[in-house]
Amino acid sequence: MQIYFSPEFLREDAQVLNVVDDKNKAVGYIAFLMEQKKMYVYGQLEDEGVEADFKDLVEPYLQGLAKLKPDLEVYSYLTVGGKKVDVSSEKES
């Protein structure tokens, strides 16, 4: 199953994206909130079978947002099927 982001709410300091499958069915969400030098990322995905795809989708998006402010601290809490998932939020040099 392929998954994609579908924007639900977009502002300069906040975003809520639905995670949808190839049939456009919502299977999760991810929210980004930015306040000065901090970014909070919260997300949940239902299906454990697409955990790797979820990471592959989230990591570059997160890195792109982090480039907006070079000294941004990123705090994240993402779950897949109820289990916490760690994603790399390191900026590439």
Side-chain angles (χ1 to χ4, degrees):
M1 168 174 55
Q2 292 291 322
I3 57 173
Y4 309 92
F5 285 145
S6 174
E8 184 71 25
F9 173 82
L10 296 172
R11 271 193 354 205
E12 184 178 332
D13 61 345
Q15 297 181 16
V16 177
L17 307 172
N18 285 325
V19 179
V20 297
D21 64 11
D22 49 1
K23 295 178 181 144
N24 208 30
K25 177 185 173 224
V27 293
Y29 76 93
I30 191 161
F32 301 90
L33 306 167
M34 288 186 233
E35 184 173 316
Q36 299 190 4
K37 296 184 182 201
K38 295 181 182 176
M39 178 169 59
Y40 302 92
V41 183
Y42 303 97
Q44 178 179 344
L45 189 69
E46 294 174 5
D47 188 357
E48 291 180 38
V50 292
E51 179 176 344
D53 293 334
F54 186 56
K55 283 183 174 183
D56 290 345
L57 193 60
V58 170
E59 285 178 357
Y61 196 84
L62 191 57
Q63 289 170 355
L65 288 175
K67 287 180 184 177
L68 296 173
K69 296 181 181 178
D71 55 349
L72 194 66
E73 293 179 61
V74 178
Y75 301 94
S76 65
Y77 188 81
L78 303 172
T79 63
V80 175
K83 297 178 187 173
K84 188 174 186 309
V85 173
D86 292 319
V87 294
S88 172
S89 60
E90 296 297 318
K91 299 175 212 165
E92 293 181 15
S93 299

